[in-house]
Amino acid sequence: DITLATTADAVTPRVGILWQPKSWLSLYATYTESFGPNFNSRKLISPGVVGFLNPTSAENYEGGIKTEFFGGKLRATLSYFDLTKTNVAVNDPNPSHICLAGNPGSCTVEVGAIRSRGPELDIQGEILPGWNVIANWSNTDIRVSKSNPVAEEAGFNVGDREQGIPRNIGRLWSTYEVQSGEFQGLAFGGGLNFVTGTTDDADKVLPSYVTTDLTARYSRKINDMTVSLQLNVDNLLDKRYVTSSFTANGLNYLGIGAPRTFMGQVSVQY
């Protein structure tokens, strides 16, 4: 077998602008490009001849608004991005193609371009002394924007959504830490996580789900050291949910989310 080597180079500019019309308000915009090899990705050029995929490149436009309230204690950012990545490596649809000795189906092919875009919202800060909140939300639309016959054979047609990527991801989290008195050093809180719009390999949308998490922490200073105890409970209500789905060899495989999980931690700092 013969493996062909390739070389490539590119200029990748990055520019940005920030305008602050008010002390509590900032507007920004950025443009970036990236370029690099498709690591560990090989394609079959002809029987016995293997080559590397073309380098992958990307360009990203992003703009947004950043605000601050209550003297900077509460911060919020609303942004929108538009990212296009070219020469994305996917599995070769022909399992008889061999790019690594003894490994049928070890080849990859290129999808011309995949575009990802959408808004993002991030809010975090301290509402009252000791009371902190974090809220995040993103709506991401990832679709094939350029394809080719081989990629289409692998199921990547122009307009298809990226498999296994949720359309919406959100998180709302709040904690409170006792500021004084006998229980100073005690902190507790909880949050909700929601996911919607995940697609399987047939472009069917999987059911949305919401999970609940809790946390508790207690820190106490003893002489010259600080002892901390922490307990986290993920998926408190033991919600059963599907994170992914695909079909292979006539069978449907489901990815099941983690069940209720407890994790404790003890730390000592000198």
Side-chain angles (χ1 to χ4, degrees):
D1 291 346
I2 301 175
T3 300
L4 302 179
T6 61
T7 60
D9 58 78
V11 177
T12 55
R14 299 183 180 184
V15 296
I17 184 172
L18 174 67
W19 179 42
Q20 189 174 25
K22 301 287 184 179
S23 60
W24 52 271
L25 176 64
S26 299
L27 308 176
Y28 75 93
T30 63
Y31 172 78
T32 59
E33 292 185 9
S34 64
F35 177 84
N38 269 307
F39 288 107
N40 301 319
S41 298
R42 298 170 174 85
K43 62 182 177 181
L44 190 64
I45 297 177
S46 61
V49 180
V50 176
F52 293 97
L53 297 190
N54 292 322
T56 180
S57 63
E59 61 175 10
N60 182 55
Y61 300 87
E62 182 175 338
I65 302 173
K66 296 185 177 184
T67 59
E68 292 185 353
F69 305 98
F70 310 117
K73 291 184 177 181
L74 184 64
R75 300 170 300 280
T77 301
L78 177 62
S79 61
Y80 185 90
F81 71 94
D82 191 324
L83 169 66
T84 300
K85 189 173 183 179
T86 64
N87 297 332
V88 180
V90 299
N91 290 332
D92 190 327
N94 191 334
S96 66
H97 289 174
I98 300 176
C99 288
L100 295 175
N103 291 291
S106 56
C107 297
T108 53
V109 295
E110 302 162 352
V111 175
I114 293 181
R115 186 179 188 183
S116 173
R117 54 183 173 177
E120 295 180 334
L121 175 65
D122 179 77
I123 302 173
Q124 58 181 313
E126 187 177 40
I127 297 178
L128 295 172
W131 182 17
N132 290 273
V133 295
I134 298 176
N136 311 108
W137 168 74
S138 63
N139 177 289
T140 308
D141 187 20
I142 305 179
R143 297 180 183 270
V144 177
S145 58
K146 183 179 179 181
S147 190
N148 54 67
V150 177
E152 290 173 354
E153 185 181 350
F156 292 84
N157 301 293
V158 173
D160 286 351
R161 285 189 55 193
E162 182 74 2
Q163 303 164 11
I165 306 297
R167 184 63 182 268
N168 289 280
I169 298 178
R171 182 186 185 216
L172 178 61
W173 187 265
S174 180
T175 60
Y176 177 74
E177 182 173 354
V178 178
Q179 300 295 291
S180 60
E182 183 179 354
F183 295 102
Q184 185 177 3
L186 174 65
F188 52 89
L192 300 174
N193 309 286
F194 73 89
V195 175
T196 69
T198 305
T199 56
D200 63 9
D201 57 351
D203 279 342
K204 294 182 179 179
V205 180
L206 302 179
S208 305
Y209 60 88
V210 178
T211 59
T212 305
D213 300 335
L214 289 181
T215 185
R217 183 183 71 252
Y218 181 69
S219 298
R220 188 176 184 87
K221 189 171 182 63
I222 303 175
N223 296 326
D224 294 331
M225 65 180 181
T226 300
V227 179
S228 299
L229 308 174
Q230 183 166 332
L231 174 65
N232 291 338
V233 184
D234 295 335
N235 194 5
L236 175 70
L237 303 180
D238 203 21
K239 174 77 172 180
R240 292 182 61 84
Y241 57 95
V242 177
T243 59
S244 61
S245 173
F246 67 94
T247 301
N249 300 320
L251 298 175
N252 183 239
Y253 295 85
L254 299 178
I256 305 300
R260 183 189 297 119
T261 305
F262 297 87
M263 183 172 64
Q265 177 179 306
V266 178
S267 64
V268 180
Q269 294 181 324
Y270 291 93

